[in-house]
Amino acid sequence: MAAHQVHHLFHAPIADHSFSSDKKTLAVARENNVELYQQSGNKFALSDELKGHEKTVTSVDIAPNSGRIVTCSQDRNAYVWEQTPTGWKPTLVLLRINRAATFVRWSPSEQKFAVGSGARVIAVCYFEEENDWWISKHLKKPIRSTITTLAWHPNSVLLAAGSTDSHARVFSSFIKGIDTRPEPSAWGERLPFNTICGEYLNDTAGWIQGVAFSPSGSALAFTGHDSSVTVVYPSAPEQPPRAMLNIATRLLPLNSLIWNGETEIIAAGHDCEPFRFCGDENGWQLAGSLENKAGEVRGAREESALNMFRQMDLKGQAQADTKLKSTHQNTVHTIRAHEEANGVVSSFSTSGVDGRVVIWNV
Amino acid sequence: MSQINYRTINVDALDPESSANFPMESLLPATLPQAASASDAASAAAQVRQMLRGGDPEGALRTVLDTAPLGGDDRAKEVHLATVIDVLQGIRQGEMTRILEGVCSGDGGAERADCLMKYLYKGMSSAAPGSGTQTPKKPVSPQDTGFSQIQARNLGEGGGGQQMSVLLSWHERLVEIAGTGSIVRVMTDRRTV
């Protein structure tokens, strides 16, 4: 496994991060602003700041093709930022929510984006040409609590959402005039807006923190506060799933996950390192950490008796062990595919509370 | 017009949108087993004690965890808790690791580990037997989260100390096998024991 790249940007939590499609621009949500970093050499340097939100920015996403950036914040607003010759120009999107916006993602078609919120709704937003305005439509039923995470199906119509009511749901966000009618699949045949194509609760019922569709879109994985990953294979519309597999891990809870092909999931969270899960419809298991800690060499400092007593005198302990052995020094919030081809991920990026963005080779 | 003290009205109870009215039963999975009654728990207890006397502590622990009344009423859960604690106290320190490895492996082993962890925490939170009458617990949080915050802690004095030390040494060994994930699931799982 080749070495991973660590970019320690600042000493503040990163709520979310997103790379542009050429991987040269990195957007990170830092407090009330979004900072844009530009690659120079093998480093990322601060190039611009997107200022406009009045409270903590919770999520940021760069559309790969159009390059537009969407951000959302606890101030209940979302902005779409477009690059103009004079800099980034924000457009306010009226979300019509009365609680914080928690999560935003562009649909793969880039015609729409979805915003999760604490107001128990998902705002699906699309651009209306005649009014030159972003419109939001609400997915409401049967959400009982805050939406914490969202993921788009490759067809840009189905949307998976995880919530603090412990359910992962699959909705249709079909909008006439914007979307082309999706092919019927195991999730559903006719899919008017707000069709509930699936509603899943695992036995141990934790808050859902991460959801993801498999590359083909025919399986859904979600993880939550119960330290488990659940994979759902739907059978047919309105039928119970063909298989619903739960992997209860011995780890701390996981926050975010991505698929790598149809038989592998990479997830990271409170254990500060990414883990690999392997399996298929017949069973899944934890394959291990992607972090190579075996070759860890402790500081090249000479371990003399003098040094030991000096450390004990200065710090009250022989060896300072305030540093974690993992690359991330705190909880990982977001994991995203960095480079992928046909659903197979060759590298992925993680960001977290420690202010680091790490690019990992698979 | 009678006097209504509007300040004392619990507005959360009247607001269907309020989070205080969150339907907690919506967190119970559909696979929850049928509600067990106290008499079911008592008959399971008799069977388990029989196995324990017959020199099969591993089978006893396995059975007692498999028959946990996850969907039962409070009485059944109390009876079953007493049985679990009896089994745990009936196993010698030296045998704990071997028996745990046996119980937590194989088909359904992970569920048994999580179930045992629930009983360890429940055992540690309930007042020690013999330390006076068990006062009915008053939920202090607006929702019944299952975790009462204000309660006489069992500080390891008197008769409860023995039981606490047994539970703590089981806890230590169970964490070695099932990890911290098992502790986290005690907090999230609504299928309480």
Side-chain angles (χ1 to χ4, degrees):
Chain A
M1 196 197 296
H4 41 261
Q5 295 172 39
V6 185
H7 302 287
H8 194 177
L9 303 175
F10 42 74
H11 292 278
I14 298 178
D16 197 3
H17 77 282
S18 180
F19 280 93
S20 62
S21 56
D22 62 359
K23 314 298 176 208
K24 295 237 162 62
T25 308
L26 165 65
V28 295
R30 178 186 186 178
E31 291 163 11
N32 293 1
N33 297 326
V34 171
E35 296 189 343
L36 293 180
Y37 287 80
Q38 210 70 37
Q39 190 174 25
S40 56
N42 48 13
K43 278 219 170 105
F44 277 92
L46 184 63
S47 68
D48 205 351
E49 271 183 299
L50 308 183
K51 289 186 181 171
H53 284 295
E54 284 159 11
K55 287 200 168 70
T56 306
V57 176
T58 48
S59 192
V60 56
D61 198 24
I62 304 182
N65 299 320
S66 66
R68 287 192 291 211
I69 302 176
V70 60
T71 60
C72 72
S73 152
Q74 290 173 5
D75 66 7
R76 315 191 304 277
N77 288 326
Y79 285 106
V80 177
W81 305 77
E82 271 170 290
Q83 197 160 25
T84 61
T86 54
W88 289 90
K89 184 176 97 40
T91 308
L92 179 70
V93 181
L94 278 185
L95 297 176
R96 300 181 288 125
I97 54 176
N98 57 4
R99 295 284 188 281
T102 51
F103 202 85
V104 65
R105 285 294 179 263
W106 285 104
S107 71
S109 68
E110 302 182 17
Q111 300 287 312
K112 305 187 285 186
F113 61 86
V115 185
S117 82
R120 295 188 272 179
V121 296
I122 304 165
V124 178
C125 307
Y126 59 97
F127 196 73
E128 215 178 58
E129 294 287 347
E130 58 235 50
N131 296 323
D132 189 23
W133 193 251
W134 287 92
I135 303 274
S136 67
K137 251 181 126 173
H138 284 178
L139 289 168
K140 217 168 176 142
K141 279 185 178 172
I143 303 165
R144 293 190 204 90
S145 192
T146 300
I147 296 294
T148 46
T149 181
L150 297 166
W152 284 97
H153 189 275
N155 70 8
S156 292
V157 167
L158 293 171
L159 179 68
S163 162
T164 53
D165 61 14
S166 302
H167 288 73
R169 300 187 177 87
V170 177
F171 295 99
S172 161
S173 69
F174 181 78
I175 288 166
K176 231 195 247 166
I178 300 281
D179 292 308
T180 48
R181 194 169 292 281
E183 304 244 321
S185 69
W187 295 106
E189 279 152 15
R190 286 191 62 253
L191 296 167
F193 189 78
N194 210 352
T195 310
I196 300 135
C197 306
E199 188 170 20
Y200 307 104
L201 169 75
N202 68 9
D203 283 355
T204 41
W207 291 7
I208 308 299
Q209 303 284 7
V211 285
F213 278 105
S214 72
S216 69
S218 57
L220 178 78
F222 62 91
T223 184
H225 226 116
D226 55 349
S227 287
S228 78
V229 174
T230 307
V231 188
V232 181
Y233 293 92
S235 56
E238 322 246 329
Q239 296 292 312
R242 202 164 61 206
M244 184 161 155
L245 304 152
N246 185 43
I247 321 144
T249 70
R250 42 173 301 144
L251 312 167
L252 289 175
L254 299 157
N255 278 337
S256 190
L257 53 82
I258 52 167
W259 286 77
N260 176 19
E262 296 285 327
T263 56
E264 198 175 297
I265 290 172
I266 300 168
H270 291 268
D271 267 320
C272 313
E273 50 185 309
F275 292 93
R276 190 198 302 262
F277 296 83
C278 294
D280 56 25
E281 237 170 278
N282 302 316
W284 278 82
Q285 67 260 350
L286 178 64
S289 170
L290 277 126
E291 187 122 32
N292 184 14
K293 283 185 291 193
E296 188 86 359
V297 187
R298 284 224 68 89
R301 227 140 171 237
E302 189 191 350
E303 286 297 329
S304 65
L306 171 71
N307 191 25
M308 187 183 91
F309 283 116
R310 181 180 285 154
Q311 284 290 322
M312 281 172 80
D313 184 34
L314 282 171
K315 292 181 178 155
Q317 56 193 5
Q319 236 173 8
D321 54 355
T322 51
K323 202 169 177 298
L324 293 180
K325 286 193 175 116
S326 54
T327 308
H328 274 291
Q329 293 296 301
N330 210 325
T331 300
V332 177
H333 265 323
T334 316
I335 174 166
R336 279 173 178 267
H338 189 61
E339 280 168 55
E340 66 173 323
N342 303 326
V344 177
V345 176
S346 54
S347 66
F348 63 93
S349 58
T350 55
S351 69
V353 181
D354 59 351
R356 284 175 177 82
V357 173
V358 182
I359 301 168
W360 308 75
N361 293 314
V362 179
Chain B
M1 290 294 147
S2 60
Q3 296 279 314
I4 300 172
N5 188 352
Y6 289 104
R7 283 171 184 274
T8 60
I9 296 175
N10 181 4
V11 289
D12 278 337
L14 302 172
D15 178 10
E17 296 281 293
S18 165
S19 58
N21 294 326
F22 186 87
M24 295 307 274
E25 65 279 2
S26 71
L27 300 181
L28 289 169
T31 54
L32 195 71
Q34 280 289 309
S37 67
S39 58
D40 295 339
S43 68
Q47 186 198 347
V48 167
R49 289 205 172 85
Q50 181 74 39
M51 290 169 93
L52 202 57
R53 272 197 301 275
D56 181 12
E58 187 179 330
L61 186 56
R62 194 183 285 263
T63 313
V64 82
L65 294 178
D66 282 338
T67 54
L70 297 175
D73 60 4
D74 287 348
R75 187 80 200 101
K77 289 180 180 187
E78 246 165 63
V79 170
H80 208 78
L81 172 68
T83 318
V84 174
I85 288 176
D86 275 359
V87 173
L88 295 179
Q89 283 177 325
I91 296 174
R92 281 197 304 278
Q93 286 262 349
E95 285 188 313
M96 282 182 183
T97 308
R98 183 185 62 78
I99 288 174
L100 260 189
E101 276 166 2
V103 168
C104 300
S105 62
D107 207 20
E111 280 97 83
R112 281 194 288 274
D114 288 356
C115 185
L116 178 57
M117 191 61 95
K118 288 182 203 168
Y119 275 110
L120 294 181
Y121 278 103
K122 178 151 186 177
M124 288 192 266
S125 69
S126 61
S131 68
T133 51
Q134 288 211 343
T135 48
K137 291 171 208 161
K138 279 186 210 147
V140 284
S141 49
Q143 297 169 10
D144 186 11
T145 55
F147 295 94
S148 165
Q149 289 159 357
I150 299 180
Q151 208 183 111
R153 289 253 188 90
N154 183 349
L155 294 171
E157 291 143 5
Q162 171 81 37
Q163 181 189 323
M164 190 59 93
S165 90
V166 170
L167 292 176
L168 278 173
S169 50
W170 276 102
H171 184 268
E172 184 187 348
R173 287 174 174 80
L174 186 56
V175 170
E176 273 168 30
I177 291 175
T180 42
S182 175
I183 300 175
V184 175
R185 282 189 286 277
V186 172
M187 291 189 255
T188 62
D189 200 338
R190 299 302 308 169
R191 300 168 302 163
T192 53
V193 295

